[in-house]
């Protein structure tokens, strides 16, 4: 295991102001932590045979912006975070390759549009599962990865590397509180009260709702991650309730934002 190289990767991430970084060895995909698990074709080593490690980075979605969702404000934040993820993972992959360890970045989504996703609702790689195996969080009822720092309000990107980096431990504590706020708030009725993965999201219903928001230029939805009470970011922003509705000033601000920028 290359401890010095991992330290160099972490330092690069620190310089790029990436708050969440984790490493998983590719053999973790071969030993499913729960069932059902993904088919082998979705393993990183099936996509990039040289892969021995997966480096996962996470960037937060700012809660006050998310509270306006669905809106043009959250729409633009989502695009910005996605762009940064692609840039950061590309730079990390290039750095590792220059160090002598062939590496590639993985695009943050892996599908062309919401219409594509409606016809084939699976991307070629799951960053959420990679983040879980890299010790960054645990799955919630809302089918997202919850992190201690930001709850589910995080977007992830990954790098496949031939470098054998020391892996981080998988998070042992289950972060989901089973409050069911996400199930109750989902506008598409796409969530199930059962734990992940038994209560998998109704992808067709979720995608149909996303397609309508995309038509109005205010996708994605974001409501299931907006209401989740998990995450230190709630305290940082002074959000003591799931939607922040206890403050009339914030409510007026959200209502103002939602009136503009979309159909």
């Amino acid at each position: 295991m290359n401890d010095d190289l991992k330290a160099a990767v972490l330092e690069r991430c620190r310089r790029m102001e990436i708050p969440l970084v984790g490493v998983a060895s590719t053999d973790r995909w071969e030993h499913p932590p729960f069932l059902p698990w993904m088919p082998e074709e979705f393993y990183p080593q099936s996509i990039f045979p040289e892969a021995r490690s997966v480096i996962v980075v996470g960037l937060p979605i700012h809660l006050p912006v998310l509270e306006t969702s669905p809106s043009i404000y959250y729409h633009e934040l989502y695009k910005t975070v996605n762009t940064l993820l692609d840039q950061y993972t590309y730079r990390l992959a290039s750095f590792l390759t220059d160090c002598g360890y062939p590496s590639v970045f993985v695009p943050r989504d892996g599908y062309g549009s919401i219409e594509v996703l409606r016809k084939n609702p699976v991307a070629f790689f799951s960053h959420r599962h990679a983040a879980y195996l890299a010790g960054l969080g645990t799955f919630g009822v809302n089918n997202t990865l919850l992190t201690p720092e930001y709850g589910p309000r995080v977007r992830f990107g990954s790098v496949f590397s031939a470098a054998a980096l020391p892996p981080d431990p998988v998070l042992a504590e289950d972060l989901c509180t089973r409050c069911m706020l996400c199930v109750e708030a989902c506008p598409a009725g796409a969530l199930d009260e059962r734990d992940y993965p038994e209560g998998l999201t109704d992808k067709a219903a979720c995608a149909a709702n996303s397609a309508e928001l995309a038509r109005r230029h205010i996708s994605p939805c974001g409501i299931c991650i907006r209401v989740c009470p998990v995450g230190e970011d709630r305290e940082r922003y002074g959000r003591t309730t799931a939607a922040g509705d206890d403050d009339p000033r914030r409510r007026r601000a959200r209502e103002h934002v939602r009136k503009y920028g979309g159909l």
Side-chain angles (χ1 to χ4, degrees), residues 69-261:
S69 66
S71 69
I72 193 66
Y73 201 0
Y74 176 45
H75 172 82
E76 293 297 335
L77 174 63
Y78 187 87
K79 290 197 304 180
T80 297
V81 171
N82 281 348
T83 299
L84 288 171
L85 284 170
D86 284 350
Q87 292 178 350
Y88 291 160
T89 51
Y90 175 86
R91 291 168 67 181
L92 286 173
S94 298
F95 167 71
L96 286 163
T97 300
D98 289 344
C99 289
Y101 301 93
S103 303
V104 295
F105 96 110
V106 184
R108 81 279 169 180
D109 284 331
Y111 57 89
S113 70
I114 191 62
E115 293 303 325
V116 171
L117 201 60
R118 293 184 73 177
K119 294 181 180 180
N120 185 18
V122 180
F124 71 83
F125 181 71
S126 172
H127 296 289
R128 294 177 299 119
H129 288 82
Y132 171 82
L133 293 174
L136 295 179
T138 62
F139 282 97
V141 170
N142 61 1
N143 198 17
T144 66
L145 197 82
L146 311 186
T147 66
E149 298 86 353
Y150 307 103
R153 293 168 290 278
V154 184
R155 297 282 292 156
F156 296 106
S158 302
V159 173
F160 298 161
S161 181
L165 300 176
D168 292 298
V170 174
L171 196 64
E173 177 189 3
D174 190 355
L175 299 176
C176 183
T177 66
R178 278 46 173 198
C179 67
M180 300 305 160
L181 288 174
C182 58
V183 176
E184 297 165 4
C186 178
L191 298 178
D192 192 296
E193 293 185 356
R194 292 172 296 173
D195 288 347
Y196 182 87
E198 287 81 5
L200 288 173
T201 302
D202 182 342
K203 293 182 179 179
C206 184
N209 181 58
S210 295
E212 172 57 21
L213 293 176
R215 185 192 67 80
R216 297 168 55 198
H217 306 288
I218 55 172
S219 63
C221 172
I223 290 177
C224 67
I225 67 173
R226 184 184 80 193
V227 301
C228 181
V230 177
E232 297 169 0
D233 57 335
R234 288 207 166 277
E235 183 176 352
R236 293 172 186 168
Y237 284 112
R239 267 49 176 179
T240 56
T241 62
D245 288 334
D246 55 326
D247 190 327
R249 298 171 302 169
R250 294 173 185 159
R251 187 163 57 251
R252 287 195 299 270
R254 291 192 299 272
E255 291 170 355
H256 165 72
V257 171
R258 290 171 185 162
K259 290 178 182 177
Y260 302 96

Side-chain angles (χ1 to χ4, degrees), residues 22-70:
V23 176
S25 57
T26 54
D27 60 4
R28 288 184 175 176
W29 273 260
E30 300 171 1
H31 304 283
F34 47 75
L35 296 174
W37 190 241
M38 68 189 73
E40 185 177 349
E41 64 191 271
F42 293 94
Y43 294 5
Q45 56 270 47
S46 296
I47 300 167
F48 182 61
E50 295 89 341
R52 297 185 66 186
S53 300
V54 178
I55 303 146
V56 185
V57 302
L59 297 180
I61 296 294
H62 299 156
L63 179 55
V65 179
L66 177 62
E67 286 176 345
T68 70
S69 66

